[in-house]
Amino acid sequence: MPFRLDARTLDGGEQVTSLTLETSRLGPIDPRSLTTGTFAVHAAATSPIPLDPSEADLVTFDLDRTVTEARLDRRGDVVLELESVEGQVGGGTLGYLPSRGRNVRLDLAYTVTQRRPVVGRDRRPIAIGELVQGDLTNPEVDAFAHGVSRSGTKYRLYSPPRGGSGGRRGKRPLVVWLHGGGEGASLQDGYYDNETTLRANRGALGFATPEAQRIFGGAYVVAPQSTSFWMEDGDRFAPIIREIVDEVVRAHDVDLDRVYVAGCSNGGYLTMKVVATYPELFAAAVPICGVVGPFGDATGPLIPDDQLAAITTPTWLVASRDDGTVPPMDNTVHAHELIPGSLMTLYDTVTWDGHRFDGHWSWIYVARNDPQHQGTHVWQWMAAHRR
């Protein structure tokens, strides 16, 4: 009997939030025979690429998951809801490898064991048999198609539905999402999955939500995946982003006057780099906790002051004062002071739904359309601009 892993991308990353047992083929089950103790769930995870010894405890896990509810869905399949909160130990689908600076999609092994009998509506016992793990599904992520550019860069693409609210009766906007450093490939390990860009946070997914689609009038959303990390070579990656935009425009009914770009951390840097390099391409830009000053071993700024001062694309910068990864004063605030007419939202902390996240994770606010200026929120501001 197969079961499915049901996942959702939370603000802090993707988690397996429930399991669906394909029991409908066995006939109607009496829901009264289902309790949180009917089935036990165990989860284990290993890394798809070799780990440094110090990383094992950070990435792998082998533990029991708590079942919070057992119910029937509309098909008659048994659904086991699992305890799932931000930072849930053993709930995630990704692991961060400090040695690579990368998130990787974990190899998950779930085991479901029946502890108590299940009966049909006729009160006769139902033999469920061996339960075998099947696919992992995440409807928001699965809505993004896979693509590869002519030069070999992978990307995911959301296409707005035809007809109805946010339909495609005319040309539609395009939102380009540029991920952070942790979501690039690790080519030295043969790892280039085109998955972590949508599973590590809600940056791209936010623009595909019904709310965002209503605001933009039905937008395409493209999320390229770097072959390394954007800050490694912005001069090389900026033309690749343009290439992907051009390919999506040629293949779909995109309004060239409504192409927008947003990105976080490494992607915040590349957001400013591409609008500095291609001032005619984008209608608006939202760099989030982006790097412009010296970083790492670099001795000079990643984006010189004269290039920032020459940006003409309407720009709204976002960061948090408690960002310990990319100092906001030297980067976001500095860029804001130089980019003509730019807006800036500087939060004190990154806190959402009562959970305080790492101060670097200010992309959460943009993914939730929280930044506002004089009563206008950031998605509405973006959508109002034309090239």
Side-chain angles (χ1 to χ4, degrees):
M1 174 71 63
F3 66 88
R4 184 179 72 237
L5 307 184
D6 306 315
R8 290 192 297 121
T9 303
L10 308 182
D11 291 300
E14 186 182 60
Q15 291 190 23
V16 175
T17 57
S18 65
L19 307 179
T20 299
L21 285 54
E22 298 179 10
T23 55
S24 58
R25 66 185 69 180
L26 301 177
I29 289 175
D30 186 343
R32 293 173 296 179
S33 66
L34 298 174
T35 71
T36 56
T38 304
F39 297 93
V41 176
H42 188 86
T46 55
S47 171
I49 63 178
L51 296 174
D52 285 351
S54 62
E55 295 176 322
D57 291 340
L58 299 175
V59 175
T60 63
F61 55 81
D62 191 343
L63 46 71
D64 294 326
R65 295 288 308 271
T66 300
V67 178
T68 60
E69 182 186 5
R71 60 178 177 83
L72 295 175
D73 66 11
R74 293 179 180 178
R75 290 175 50 87
D77 290 331
V78 171
V79 178
L80 305 179
E81 299 288 350
L82 303 176
E83 184 177 38
S84 182
V85 296
E86 293 289 359
Q88 179 73 47
V89 176
T93 67
L94 305 179
Y96 182 75
L97 308 184
S99 63
R100 272 69 164 194
R102 295 291 181 275
N103 282 302
V104 295
R105 195 175 182 195
L106 298 173
D107 293 328
L108 299 175
Y110 271 71
T111 304
V112 179
T113 305
Q114 186 175 353
R115 297 296 193 194
R116 297 175 184 172
V118 173
V119 301
R121 294 190 183 275
D122 58 3
R123 305 306 296 169
R124 294 182 180 179
I126 292 179
I128 290 180
E130 182 183 6
L131 291 160
V132 180
Q133 178 177 317
D135 294 334
L136 181 145
T137 64
N138 182 332
E140 286 188 298
V141 171
D142 298 341
F144 283 70
H146 292 76
V148 182
S149 74
R150 184 171 299 178
S151 65
T153 300
K154 296 182 179 181
Y155 62 85
R156 299 294 292 270
L157 177 67
Y158 173 84
S159 298
R162 298 181 182 276
S165 176
R168 297 193 296 176
R169 296 192 178 92
K171 290 186 177 295
R172 298 300 172 187
L174 170 64
V175 179
V176 181
W177 172 258
L178 301 175
H179 63 74
E183 288 72 67
S186 184
L187 295 184
Q188 69 269 31
D189 300 298
Y191 187 81
Y192 190 17
D193 70 343
N194 205 14
E195 295 289 344
T196 53
T197 52
L198 304 178
R199 300 181 191 273
N201 58 59
R202 296 192 56 78
L205 299 182
F207 290 104
T209 59
E211 178 190 359
Q213 289 295 303
R214 285 193 298 271
I215 291 169
F216 283 93
Y220 293 92
V221 183
V222 67
Q225 186 179 31
S226 170
T227 51
S228 57
F229 57 99
W230 304 125
M231 290 183 346
E232 180 186 48
D233 192 348
D235 289 333
R236 176 168 64 91
F237 284 123
I240 290 175
I241 300 306
R242 169 120 205 195
E243 173 193 54
I244 291 173
V245 169
D246 290 344
E247 289 186 14
V248 173
V249 167
R250 283 196 299 269
H252 302 279
D253 49 345
V254 173
D255 184 346
L256 287 172
D257 291 327
R258 293 188 290 165
V259 180
Y260 310 97
V261 61
C264 64
S265 193
N266 255 255
Y269 151 76
L270 193 61
T271 296
M272 289 180 276
K273 182 69 176 178
V274 294
V275 296
T277 305
Y278 303 109
E280 81 294 346
L281 185 58
F282 297 100
V286 181
I288 309 158
C289 57
V291 182
V292 297
F295 196 81
D297 297 331
T299 56
L302 291 185
I303 303 181
D305 287 357
D306 61 331
Q307 292 185 20
L308 293 171
I311 289 176
T312 56
T313 302
T315 303
W316 188 331
L317 301 107
V318 178
S320 180
R321 289 185 175 89
D322 65 338
D323 189 334
T325 302
V326 178
M329 295 304 296
D330 299 335
N331 293 279
T332 296
V333 175
H334 181 72
H336 169 59
E337 291 172 345
L338 290 171
I339 298 174
S342 63
L343 303 178
M344 181 179 68
T345 300
L346 193 59
Y347 291 91
D348 291 325
T349 65
V350 181
T351 303
W352 194 259
D353 281 344
H355 184 88
R356 183 167 178 176
F357 296 88
D358 186 291
H360 187 49
W361 295 13
S362 49
W363 53 80
I364 289 173
Y365 288 120
V366 175
R368 298 293 184 177
N369 195 27
D370 189 72
Q372 58 178 303
H373 176 74
Q374 296 181 351
T376 300
H377 287 261
V378 65
W379 292 351
Q380 283 86 347
W381 175 85
M382 292 172 69
H385 279 86
R386 303 291 187 272
R387 184 178 57 164

